Amino acid sequence: MDKERAKFVLQSFRPDGEDADEPAFAEALELAAKDRELGEWLATERAQDAAFAAMLADVEIPEDLREAIFEVLEGAQDRPAEFDADFVGALAALRAPAGLRDQILGAMEVEQKVIEMPQKHRRGFFKAAVWTTTAAAVVAVMVAVTVFFAGAGGNAIAGTTPREVEYSAIAMLESPFFSLDLENDRQAAIYEWLEGKNLPSPDQLPKGLKEVKGVGCKLLEIGDQKSRASLICYRKDGDTIHLVMMERKAIDADEMNEIKGAVSGCRDCDKNDEWAVTQWADAEHTYFLLSKIAPEELAAIFE
Amino acid sequence: MDEFEELVEHYYQALYRFGFSLAKNPDRAADLVQQTFVIWAQKGHQLKDRSKAKTWLFTTLYREHLGNARRSQRHPEMEISEVEHELPHEEEESGRKLDAQRAVTLLSELDETFRAPLTLFYLQQHSYKEIAEILDVPIGTVMSRISRGKEQLRKKMTSGPTSMSTRIVDFKPETIQKNNG
């Protein structure tokens, strides 16, 4: 664990010390005990957190709130509960399925795991979709409305370098006229569509995308040569994750790392820091992963 | 004291503070708390693991707030700063009262994504795992939102009329020392 990672973890360490026995903080605390700069940072962080927590604890409670709670309860007991169906459903969902907690804790592991899709089964892959065990992703309902704007959505991605492709892709995604060519929440259906159009689809996926729902896909054209590429959109925890992939020869990919380097490469786009981006390449394709989330959250997709 | 009374005593204040940061309005915050306990009174018996009652209550309040936000279109939310004059006006004799109001104002000015996890963090009643459970997001997401929320909060605290730079390290050293053992 490096200092930056330790700081990230320790920012969730409660100032009253209640988390002192939590295993998740042990390594970071150990590092802080050994590293003076980190130790001083932690002391300041906890002091600031304690000060703010004290401010919040001083928020006055209405004097009659406690009595009002009991009065409302007495009134509620005299009539049947009236809840709309959505809320009843939400309450019913409060009980976590067995094993979910362990899955969440398992997702805290920092190791990068990439699932290789079996090449030889590729054609029959979508018919015999056997997915590996999942991370703890919760699939949200539907993607933001802007993704489905009707109208003439452009599909041209300018540029010959990775950065240019990154900027151009984000500009396209942010366009109010952006639209998908196919909308489907099944990854298998998306890949089948791409295959039918002789468009690239991923042989490798970050583990965190393996079991999530899809949103859709789009044909892209890269650069002056109009090399054909794919945009594939996934839905994970309420966020849309965009994967742009193309043949390696479509752009200058000499400086691009393998997928193992994609985790540490997660960063804010330097032209639009609302977007987190990373990229990698293999022998045949280049990949760009983009989303309006924090770089740390993007990195977590590979875990 | 029966179980229900005990739960009210233990959690209604923290629930109110959480609700206040979400709803940005003291009356709505009180309504959220009351409704949460009504739901508990009617549905709480379904919770088999009673040790999860705290998380259940905060989750319920949060979901109730989300439901209200979706349903309510007729009553735009007012920023705390706009309705501060409607809050019970007491002489500003206590710096702590000012700090408390300022804390809620600052939280209300944060991006909605950060407000709930950061408030739960500063209430200090929930671990990051419990916050993840209440908000129904992965643990990594909670940590990220706390980190980014703090960054946004610190920026607001050290700039503009709400600047609290002179009080940013006004802490109780004995608390830190006690916890350091």
Side-chain angles (χ1 to χ4, degrees):
Chain A
M1 180 181 283
D2 61 21
K3 271 200 281 193
E4 287 308 308
R5 178 71 185 171
K7 284 183 183 178
F8 173 73
V9 169
L10 289 171
Q11 282 183 317
S12 297
F13 187 80
R14 283 180 282 178
D16 62 2
E18 279 290 316
D19 298 320
D21 295 329
E22 274 284 342
F25 296 107
E27 190 178 348
L29 289 170
E30 198 179 323
L31 192 61
K34 293 176 186 169
D35 185 297
R36 180 177 179 142
E37 184 201 343
L38 185 61
E40 287 176 353
W41 171 88
L42 180 60
T44 304
E45 182 78 5
R46 290 185 71 193
Q48 291 177 338
D49 285 344
F52 195 85
M55 287 162 61
L56 191 60
D58 282 338
V59 169
E60 284 193 349
I61 309 300
E63 283 180 5
D64 58 351
L65 177 58
R66 187 182 171 284
E67 285 67 36
I69 290 169
F70 290 108
E71 279 177 17
V72 168
L73 174 64
E74 285 172 15
Q77 286 173 337
D78 294 336
R79 63 176 183 273
E82 296 171 5
F83 303 114
D84 63 29
D86 287 344
F87 192 80
V88 171
L91 279 179
L94 280 176
R95 194 169 299 159
L100 180 60
R101 181 175 283 277
D102 289 338
Q103 289 180 349
I104 291 172
L105 293 175
M108 287 293 288
E109 295 292 325
V110 184
E111 285 180 15
Q112 171 190 335
K113 294 202 170 87
V114 170
I115 309 300
E116 295 279 348
M117 294 195 186
Q119 286 286 341
K120 63 178 180 179
H121 294 302
R122 188 155 167 180
R123 281 227 170 252
F125 176 74
F126 307 116
K127 293 181 182 177
V130 179
W131 302 97
T132 58
T133 53
T134 179
V138 177
V139 178
V141 180
M142 282 299 290
V143 72
V145 172
T146 53
V147 174
F148 297 106
F149 257 105
N155 66 346
I157 298 293
T160 57
T161 69
R163 287 286 170 124
E164 288 171 349
V165 169
E166 183 184 291
Y167 302 148
S168 184
I170 288 174
M172 177 194 68
L173 290 166
E174 290 208 325
S175 167
F177 301 106
F178 170 78
S179 64
L180 294 168
D181 294 331
L182 172 75
E183 298 168 16
N184 199 304
D185 63 3
R186 288 177 51 246
Q187 287 195 31
I190 291 172
Y191 301 140
E192 199 165 12
W193 187 89
L194 291 170
E195 202 173 37
K197 303 275 182 201
N198 289 320
L199 289 169
S201 59
D203 296 324
Q204 288 183 334
L205 266 187
K207 189 181 183 191
L209 292 181
K210 274 290 297 180
E211 296 289 328
V212 303
K213 284 193 175 176
V215 175
C217 61
K218 187 181 181 69
L219 157 70
L220 301 178
E221 291 177 339
I222 309 296
D224 295 337
Q225 303 297 322
K226 297 191 187 302
S227 304
R228 289 160 66 82
S230 304
L231 167 70
I232 307 161
C233 303
Y234 303 89
R235 186 73 170 163
K236 180 176 169 65
D237 302 330
D239 297 309
T240 308
I241 315 295
H242 308 276
L243 177 69
V244 174
M245 69 175 291
M246 65 200 72
E247 288 187 347
R248 188 182 175 115
K249 62 186 179 185
I251 61 169
D252 178 9
D254 287 345
E255 302 296 319
M256 293 179 76
N257 293 322
E258 294 178 345
I259 191 168
K260 288 181 184 176
V263 179
S264 56
C266 291
R267 56 182 165 75
D268 286 324
C269 173
D270 52 16
K271 281 205 172 179
N272 185 336
D273 64 6
E274 288 189 359
W275 288 79
V277 299
T278 191
Q279 52 192 239
W280 69 95
D282 59 23
E284 294 181 3
H285 297 101
T286 58
Y287 306 80
F288 297 81
L289 203 63
L290 316 104
S291 184
K292 292 185 90 167
I293 57 178
E296 296 88 12
E297 291 177 278
L298 194 67
I301 289 174
F302 292 83
E303 297 170 1
Chain B
M1 186 185 291
D2 66 15
E3 184 197 39
F4 181 81
E5 286 180 7
E6 205 171 312
L7 277 176
V8 173
E9 288 299 332
H10 271 130
Y11 299 120
Y12 83 97
Q13 295 186 22
L15 282 165
Y16 174 80
R17 292 182 179 115
F18 183 42
F20 197 2
S21 76
L22 295 175
K24 307 187 211 178
N25 177 291
D27 291 333
R28 263 180 256 156
D31 284 345
L32 282 172
V33 176
Q34 290 169 30
Q35 186 61 16
T36 297
F37 281 111
V38 166
I39 295 166
W40 169 262
Q42 295 177 335
K43 296 281 185 179
H45 63 276
Q46 296 178 358
L47 185 66
K48 290 182 180 173
D49 182 357
R50 306 311 270 180
S51 69
K52 304 287 284 179
K54 179 183 73 171
T55 303
W56 193 101
L57 288 170
F58 280 85
T59 304
T60 300
L61 187 143
Y62 181 62
R63 290 184 184 224
E64 188 66 357
H65 161 72
L66 293 179
N68 289 346
R70 279 194 298 270
R71 285 189 294 267
S72 175
Q73 300 296 322
R74 291 180 293 120
H75 303 291
E77 289 186 357
M78 305 290 285
E79 295 293 336
I80 286 286
S81 54
E82 293 175 42
V83 298
E84 258 180 319
H85 62 281
E86 295 179 23
L87 293 172
H89 181 67
E90 300 177 26
E91 285 187 17
E92 294 177 346
E93 79 240 87
S94 169
R96 289 174 65 167
K97 283 186 185 174
L98 274 178
D99 285 348
Q101 286 184 10
R102 194 59 62 205
V104 178
T105 300
L106 286 166
L107 285 170
S108 72
E109 291 173 359
L110 296 179
D111 288 352
E112 187 130 8
T113 308
F114 307 136
R115 195 182 314 144
L118 209 57
T119 303
L120 290 170
F121 173 77
Y122 281 121
L123 285 172
Q124 299 196 88
Q125 298 212 351
H126 309 279
S127 66
Y128 67 96
K129 290 185 205 171
E130 288 171 333
I131 296 173
E133 200 170 331
I134 290 167
L135 302 179
D136 196 20
V137 294
I139 289 176
T141 301
V142 168
M143 286 191 162
S144 176
R145 289 180 183 178
I146 288 175
S147 173
R148 298 187 73 165
K150 279 189 181 183
E151 189 184 328
Q152 209 177 82
L153 183 68
R154 301 272 161 81
K155 279 182 187 169
K156 288 183 183 295
M157 289 174 81
T158 55
S159 64
T162 61
S163 172
M164 295 293 294
S165 57
T166 57
R167 296 184 64 82
I168 203 164
V169 289
D170 183 13
F171 64 98
K172 297 176 185 175
E174 60 272 17
T175 306
I176 306 293
Q177 288 172 9
K178 179 182 173 184
N179 290 329
N180 281 338

